């Protein structure tokens, strides 16, 4: 295990750059924080390019307890003092471990989707919502997550943390607009399903168990009009009382889990 003692160190500077989207896009890498995410990455066969460990964490820490990094080559592990580690961390209570991993590259046109469902994120901005939706899509057995232009980065620290490991597994594709999405879905015989307040049917009155692309719209403005216009299925989530809408990730979870409830 090597030591990094200066913020001028090139390994440290590279990791620090990855807190910004433009550098994540440039290097196709992002940060994962905490031993659980590092262990998930190793479990999924994701290469840990660099592992930053606060110098009071690990098997040799006081009491002899800490995560086991034996699967990571020693020349990729770096020990940092708390003062440097805190500059990399994005949590209130850092757990002392940060890894640099490569983005999972997805070629959507080459994927075997079968009758699997797709979740489409339309201009969502809250990274917590994005991470939660990826986690739920993974749990509900969705085959792909499509990010339309204008949607926030799924590899931001908060989104990665909210996804709780699912970002390491869930295939993610980025489409320019509804036209590209429509062409992709037609080629795969998938129906586009959108949620609208004035839709005639509730979500459980339609078959969402297979071959559906379910759209989750922007937190403030909902689904884009062009997507509503081109949709094959319009549905609503019934609500009692005076509530007019749900949190985006909550609505997405309800719609995605209809796949499991209704799947024959």
């Amino acid at each position: 295990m090597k030591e990094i003692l200066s913020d001028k160190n090139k390994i440290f500077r590279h990791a620090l750059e990855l807190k910004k989207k433009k550098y994540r896009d440039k290097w196709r890498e992002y940060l994962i924080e905490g031993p659980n995410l590092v262990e998930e990455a190793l479990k999924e066969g994701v290469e840990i390019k660099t592992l930053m460990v606060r110098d009071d964490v690990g098997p040799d820490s006081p009491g002899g307890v800490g995560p086991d990094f034996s699967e990571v080559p020693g020349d990729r592990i770096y020990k940092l003092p708390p003062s440097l580690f805190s500059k990399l961390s994005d949590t209130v209570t850092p757990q002392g471990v940060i890894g640099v991993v490569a983005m999972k590259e997805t070629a959507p046109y080459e994927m075997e989707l079968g009758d699997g469902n797709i979740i489409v994120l339309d201009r969502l901005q809250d990274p917590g919502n994005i991470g939660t939706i990826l986690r739920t899509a993974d749990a509900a057995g969705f085959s792909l997550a499509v990010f339309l232009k204008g949607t926030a980065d799924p590899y931001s620290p908060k989104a990665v943390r909210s996804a709780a490991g699912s970002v390491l597994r869930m295939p993610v594709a980025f489409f320019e607009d509804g036209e590209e999405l429509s062409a992709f879905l037609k080629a795969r015989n998938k129906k586009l399903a959108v949620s609208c307040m004035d839709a005639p049917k509730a979500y459980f009155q339609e078959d969402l168990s297979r071959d559906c692309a379910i759209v989750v719209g922007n937190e403030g403005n909902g689904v884009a009009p062009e997507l509503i216009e081109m949709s094959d299925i319009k549905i609503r989530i019934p609500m009692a009382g005076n509530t007019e809408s749900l949190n985006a990730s909550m609505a997405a979870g309800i719609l995605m889990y209809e796949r499991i409830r209704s799947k024959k």
Side-chain angles (χ1 to χ4, degrees), residues 196 198-202 205 234-236:
C196 310
D198 58 353
K201 292 185 178 181
Q205 293 175 310
K234 294 182 178 67
I235 49 179
R236 58 184 169 80

Side-chain angles (χ1 to χ4, degrees), residues 121-125 147-153 175-176 218:
L121 288 78
D122 173 30
R123 299 165 298 122
L124 272 79
Q125 295 302 301
F147 281 61
L148 294 181
K149 186 175 181 179
T151 302
D153 185 10
F175 286 3
E176 186 69 18
N218 173 269

Side-chain angles (χ1 to χ4, degrees), residues 235-250:
I235 49 179
R236 58 184 169 80
I237 299 175
M239 286 176 280
N242 297 320
T243 301
E244 295 184 355
S245 64
L246 294 173
N247 168 272
S249 60
M250 176 64 73

Side-chain angles (χ1 to χ4, degrees), residues 24-251:
R24 292 195 293 270
D25 290 343
K26 176 181 179 179
W27 300 112
R28 308 302 296 163
E29 295 174 348
Y30 63 101
L31 301 176
I32 57 174
E33 182 167 358
N36 289 340
L37 274 179
V38 171
E39 289 172 7
E40 279 287 322
L42 293 171
K43 179 182 174 182
E44 296 296 326
V46 176
E47 181 184 12
I48 307 290
K49 292 182 172 290
T50 307
L51 193 65
M52 308 283 190
V53 183
R54 199 176 61 217
D55 61 13
D56 59 349
V57 172
D60 298 326
S61 60
V65 295
D68 180 9
F69 306 131
S70 59
E71 293 184 51
V72 182
D75 61 355
R76 298 184 186 183
I77 304 177
Y78 295 84
K79 187 191 305 183
L80 277 68
S83 58
L84 288 184
F85 189 90
S86 64
K87 294 182 179 181
L88 290 178
S89 177
D90 194 63
T91 61
V92 176
T93 308
Q95 297 180 59
V97 183
I98 293 174
V100 174
V101 299
M103 293 181 185
K104 184 177 182 179
E105 300 295 343
T106 301
Y109 292 93
E110 298 175 10
M111 290 182 64
E112 292 293 334
L113 296 176
D115 67 355
N117 279 2
I118 298 168
I119 187 69
V120 179
L121 288 78
D122 173 30
R123 299 165 298 122
L124 272 79
Q125 295 302 301
D126 185 276
N129 281 337
I130 289 169
T132 300
I133 289 169
L134 287 179
R135 183 178 184 179
T136 306
D138 185 20
F142 273 52
S143 299
L144 177 68
V146 169
F147 281 61
L148 294 181
K149 186 175 181 179
T151 302
D153 185 10
Y155 300 108
S156 69
K158 186 176 179 181
V160 170
R161 193 163 62 251
S162 298
S166 292
V167 71
L168 299 164
R169 294 184 292 272
M170 191 71 198
V172 173
F174 300 88
F175 286 3
E176 186 69 18
D177 52 29
E179 185 176 341
E180 183 181 2
L181 173 66
S182 178
F184 175 77
L185 296 180
K186 286 179 180 177
R188 297 305 186 93
N189 295 313
K190 306 288 184 186
K191 294 181 179 179
L192 186 66
V194 302
S195 178
C196 310
M197 291 181 63
D198 58 353
K201 292 185 178 181
Y203 70 93
F204 49 77
Q205 293 175 310
E206 292 281 3
D207 183 7
L208 303 180
S209 63
R210 56 178 62 82
D211 286 322
C212 285
I214 298 174
V215 182
V216 184
N218 173 269
E219 291 91 346
N221 301 310
V223 178
E226 67 165 326
L227 296 178
I228 295 175
E229 185 176 342
M230 69 175 59
S231 66
D232 302 294
I233 300 172
K234 294 182 178 67
I235 49 179
R236 58 184 169 80
I237 299 175
M239 286 176 280
N242 297 320
T243 301
E244 295 184 355
S245 64
L246 294 173
N247 168 272
S249 60
M250 176 64 73

